[in-house]
Amino acid sequence: MNEVILDIQNLETNFVTKKGIVRAVDGVDLQVRRGETLGLVGESGCGKTVLGLSIMGLVDSPGRITGGKILFKGEDLVSKSSEEMRQLRGDRISMIFQDPTVTLNPVLRVSQQLEEVFRYHRGMKGKEARQKSLELLSLVGIPQPEERIDRYPFEFSGGMQQRVVIAIAVALNPELLLADEPTTALDVTVQAQIIKVLKDLKQQKDSAIILITHDMGVVAELCETVAVTYAGNIIEQGDLETILERPSHPYTVGLIQSIPKMEEHGKARLTAIPGTLADPTEIPPGCKFHPRCSRAEEVCKKTRPVLREVSPGHKVACHLD
Ligand SMILES: Nc1ncnc2c1ncn2[C@@H]1O[C@H](COP(=O)(O)OP(=O)(O)OP(=O)(O)O)[C@@H](O)[C@H]1O
Ligand SMILES: [Mg+2]
């Protein structure tokens, strides 16, 4: 097995708001290995994006990492300065966001934005940086890159813009790539193309990828492992087959059941999990899922379950396993 390159231990990221302290990431433990593509799933508001931003060192005030460690190849990112993080970002760690227009600068040509990555991080000069940029645009499937590279982002379609964003993110062969809903803002046919781009990249590069998505179809297509988040924690982690076919945590069981069954021709049934996500300023005692859990017992109301290995590579945070 490849070595663990990302080892997150008991990470906490809070936002201080008028309503109280929002514990967006509330004791996350997560390991990712070199070359692994991990799907990070869980319903809206459970802290997936904030976890990604924490790894990138991009949590802004009123947010703050208040505890835990993010060990990246043994070095704790939490204790790094903002300048050190700036150098890591885009080089050894990079992130693709849902909306390509957030990442691209509207007033700079695509060529300027790509070439800058090579200039800033690798000290390359004009011609070499341009050549590298053209290669990348081909890699992510942009046709006739020579004709397009000097255009502005608005001259590209949404799908083409997202390809440019992916090109920038993978330009320097990051060891860790975070992709936060990289296809959600795109229409269905374009989504399929972007998934193909990511799939090809996986084969050509050796990056570990954390793919944040609501779409279990995307997970099934791209990921070897899955981590399930609930209210700021990882509550289950395992390989794809285990999570899809033998989920253990009652929340994961509900999540998997809520995937529409395509084979039932149009009779896709969506079983919503009863209840709503706990208010992140008022976290219930014991297991955070217990108010929604049909199997909850006395212990679940009192004691918080820890994430523990129940079989090799399969971790669950539930008293009932
Ligand atoms: N800037 C902020 N200020 C206050 N609270 C915030 C801020 N950013 C995020 N949060 C809160 O942190 C929690 C986790 O949010 P996050 O965006 O990480 O969820 P998510 O799992 O990515 O959801 P989605 O699937 O909808 O993208 C939420 O309760 C959210 O309201
Ligand atoms: Mg999000």
Side-chain angles (χ1 to χ4, degrees):
M1 250 204 249
N2 288 343
E3 85 265 30
V4 171
I5 63 157
L6 183 72
D7 182 9
I8 301 178
Q9 300 174 0
N10 201 18
L11 186 72
E12 293 175 11
T13 306
N14 290 341
F15 292 90
V16 179
T17 69
K18 284 195 202 108
K19 274 189 67 194
I21 296 175
V22 177
R23 299 182 197 284
V25 174
D26 187 28
V28 159
D29 291 301
L30 182 68
Q31 286 78 38
V32 186
R33 291 175 186 276
R34 185 165 52 80
E36 170 180 351
T37 301
L38 173 117
L40 188 64
V41 300
E43 69 202 295
S44 192
C46 64
K48 304 181 296 294
T49 296
V50 174
L51 177 61
L53 295 174
S54 303
I55 299 168
M56 294 290 286
L58 289 174
V59 176
D60 270 336
S61 173
R64 206 163 69 84
I65 295 178
T66 52
K69 289 182 177 158
I70 303 173
L71 299 176
F72 175 62
K73 302 190 92 177
E75 289 178 71
D76 188 8
L77 302 185
V78 175
S79 60
K80 291 217 180 281
S81 69
S82 41
E83 180 50 35
E84 286 172 316
M85 284 310 291
R86 206 165 101 90
Q87 284 177 14
L88 275 176
R89 267 198 305 275
D91 187 346
R92 298 175 62 202
I93 306 177
S94 61
M95 187 156 175
I96 302 166
F97 295 92
Q98 176 174 345
D99 181 356
T101 57
V102 174
T103 309
L104 297 174
N105 186 332
V107 301
L108 293 179
R109 297 174 196 277
V110 164
S111 50
Q112 291 170 292
Q113 303 190 46
L114 265 167
E115 288 165 20
E116 174 60 19
V117 177
F118 294 108
R119 278 201 215 98
Y120 175 77
H121 288 286
R122 293 289 184 270
M124 282 184 198
K125 297 270 177 341
K127 225 176 163 184
E128 195 185 358
R130 188 176 178 86
Q131 191 50 41
K132 281 277 188 192
S133 303
L134 285 167
E135 283 167 21
L136 272 170
L137 291 182
S138 308
L139 182 73
V140 297
I142 293 188
Q144 292 108 37
E146 293 85 357
E147 283 168 35
R148 296 174 196 241
I149 192 166
D150 289 313
R151 295 186 189 169
Y152 290 94
F154 74 86
E155 297 176 272
F156 286 70
S157 67
M160 287 294 161
Q161 287 186 19
Q162 192 63 311
R163 286 170 198 249
V164 173
V165 168
I166 294 173
I168 292 172
V170 302
L172 304 171
N173 290 324
E175 290 159 275
L176 178 64
L177 175 65
L178 296 151
D180 191 359
E181 308 268 5
T183 62
T184 315
L186 309 169
D187 68 50
V188 180
T189 43
V190 182
Q191 278 185 18
Q193 292 165 10
I194 297 294
I195 290 164
K196 170 97 176 37
V197 169
L198 291 171
K199 219 172 177 172
D200 291 346
L201 280 172
K202 244 177 76 114
Q203 274 152 14
Q204 295 178 37
K205 314 230 171 194
D206 201 22
S207 313
I209 304 175
I210 297 181
L211 179 70
I212 300 174
T213 180
H214 284 113
D215 188 337
M216 287 305 282
V218 172
V219 171
E221 197 155 348
L222 282 173
C223 302
E224 291 94 45
T225 54
V226 182
V228 183
T229 53
Y230 186 77
N233 293 114
I234 305 294
I235 53 96
E236 185 158 4
Q237 185 180 356
D239 60 46
L240 179 71
E241 198 193 315
T242 305
I243 300 296
L244 288 182
E245 285 164 23
R246 293 178 299 281
S248 178
H249 195 289
Y251 175 68
T252 316
V253 172
L255 202 67
I256 301 299
Q257 274 173 359
S258 74
I259 303 170
K261 299 272 182 291
M262 288 319 207
E263 58 271 27
E264 289 173 19
H265 306 295
K267 279 192 279 168
R269 236 177 1 159
L270 244 162
T271 345
I273 305 167
T276 48
L277 189 60
D279 180 339
T281 58
E282 277 173 57
I283 291 168
C287 173
K288 292 178 198 170
F289 187 60
H290 90 257
R292 294 170 74 182
C293 182
S294 57
R295 293 171 61 201
E297 294 176 5
E298 255 341 279
V299 60
C300 308
K301 297 177 190 165
K302 296 194 183 103
T303 315
R304 174 129 333 143
V306 292
L307 190 67
R308 62 192 169 82
E309 197 154 32
V310 291
S311 61
H314 185 197
K315 294 176 190 165
V316 186
C318 178
H319 292 302
L320 309 175
D321 272 293

